[in-house]
Amino acid sequence: MSRIFLLAAALAVSGLPATAHAEKLSGYAVQTSGDYTTRGGNEIYGKVAVGGNITANADRFGTHLTAADNGSPGVVVLGDINYANSQLLHGDVVYGGSNLSPLYHPIATPNGATYQATPLVFDAMSTAAATVSALFGGMNTTGSYSDLWGVGTLTATAPGLNIFQLDAGQFDSLHQLNLVGAPGAVAVINIFGSVSDHLTFNIGNFTPDSVLFNFVDATRVQSNGIAWQGAILAPNALVSLEGGSVLGSVVSKHFDAAGATVRGDSFAYIPTTTAVPEPASWAMLILGFGAIGLLARRRRYRGRPAVN
């Protein structure tokens, strides 16, 4: 059994606290393991992490960062950067490949700098995101769902964590999705399959950091003017935003947008040991994988049955 499955199995046994905040899904408003491509006019409130290349035109990054973020990376890119008429309000742009930006219209960093540095390791972040998605996707449904004339209602039945499940056909058939629950309830909405939709949300007593749209196996999430009232987790998908907004963070395989806003209020109910790591935590996560593998090897050495 691979180390990542050993970790997932251990987490499944430990479970998730029903009401207590654990870790955030991501410290970035947008985190993608592949390419980040925009066609203009996007606003990203927070930081951005890109595991591939980034191409941006007339985008504004870090618009809600502050002077406290100066001197630290606000946009981190493993590959090449290609900006035109874009701006990072606070912090630095750090890239590992080449700077292909137009000579006379590069990204503006009024409170920082743009420079090349040793690329960061994104593999741990991508692995952790996929693990979190699979963990939630494998949990039993606890909330109820009803649909009346294209208006879907998800009703929380527990005071803390509630797991819902929809397939792509159900999701795409809706023009409105309502969440019903007591204050303090948490909703993980597992969606299976790729989607392309335009709908509205009413999250009632839920807050944006307590709602997660978990696209477990989707390869494409096409959002047509949707105002997402929570975070999007789609580790295997291209998330494409045509206008609209996301109140939570976006974690994806690829990211594409035009005229969209991502506020980046991260989902805050991830089990502590599975949180998508901050850069400073990557080494600890890798060490954790190593420790799990070492434990398995020691058990074999002592003559105990091997883990298959």
Side-chain angles (χ1 to χ4, degrees):
M1 182 182 288
S2 68
R3 293 176 183 177
I4 189 61
F5 285 114
L6 281 168
L7 177 61
L11 294 168
V13 172
S14 63
L16 173 67
T19 57
H21 277 65
E23 294 288 335
K24 290 186 176 182
L25 175 64
S26 176
Y28 299 93
V30 176
Q31 175 186 310
T32 180
S33 58
D35 293 338
Y36 177 118
T37 305
T38 71
R39 286 157 285 122
N42 300 290
E43 180 179 7
I44 312 298
Y45 280 21
K47 298 181 179 182
V48 174
V50 180
N53 304 317
I54 186 168
T55 302
N57 179 38
D59 283 2
R60 294 180 295 155
F61 300 94
T63 57
H64 284 239
L65 298 179
T66 68
D69 297 292
N70 293 340
S72 63
V75 175
V76 185
V77 183
L78 185 63
D80 300 335
I81 62 171
N82 190 341
Y83 291 103
N85 301 307
S86 297
Q87 181 185 71
L88 170 64
L89 186 58
H90 289 283
D92 300 332
V93 175
V94 183
Y95 61 96
S98 300
N99 188 345
L100 306 176
S101 303
L103 179 62
Y104 298 105
H105 301 284
I107 186 170
T109 52
N111 298 292
T114 299
Y115 58 91
Q116 186 181 40
T118 302
L120 299 174
V121 179
F122 279 78
D123 290 349
M125 298 174 71
S126 301
T127 297
T131 301
V132 169
S133 179
L135 179 63
F136 281 131
M139 290 183 177
N140 293 329
T141 301
T142 57
S144 65
Y145 171 72
S146 62
D147 178 6
L148 180 63
W149 304 109
V151 177
T153 301
L154 300 171
T155 303
T157 56
L161 177 65
N162 291 267
I163 303 294
F164 302 96
Q165 180 172 318
L166 297 174
D167 61 43
Q170 289 174 311
F171 188 82
D172 280 345
S173 70
L174 301 175
H175 61 81
Q176 182 173 330
L177 183 61
N178 303 322
L179 272 69
V180 178
V186 178
V188 173
I189 304 164
N190 292 321
I191 302 169
F192 292 86
S194 297
V195 301
S196 177
D197 202 3
H198 172 77
L199 77 165
T200 59
F201 294 101
N202 178 2
I203 62 172
N205 289 320
F206 291 83
T207 57
D209 72 340
S210 68
V211 178
L212 177 66
F213 298 94
N214 180 29
F215 292 92
V216 181
D217 57 1
T219 57
R220 184 176 182 88
V221 177
Q222 178 69 46
S223 172
N224 304 309
I226 297 176
W228 295 88
Q229 306 292 298
I232 295 175
L233 174 57
N236 305 302
L238 164 65
V239 173
S240 182
L241 306 178
E242 295 291 337
S245 60
V246 183
L247 295 188
S249 55
V250 177
V251 177
S252 64
K253 184 175 182 179
H254 298 287
F255 180 82
D256 175 82
T261 300
V262 180
R263 195 168 83 178
D265 289 348
S266 188
F267 183 74
Y269 295 83
I270 302 298
T272 301
T273 47
T274 59
V276 178
E278 295 292 333
S281 302
W282 296 345
M284 293 301 294
L285 181 67
I286 294 169
L287 288 173
F289 285 161
I292 292 171
L294 179 61
L295 177 61
R297 287 194 295 272
R298 284 181 175 176
R299 286 179 175 172
R300 294 189 188 101
Y301 179 78
R302 291 174 183 173
R304 296 180 182 181
V307 180
N308 296 317

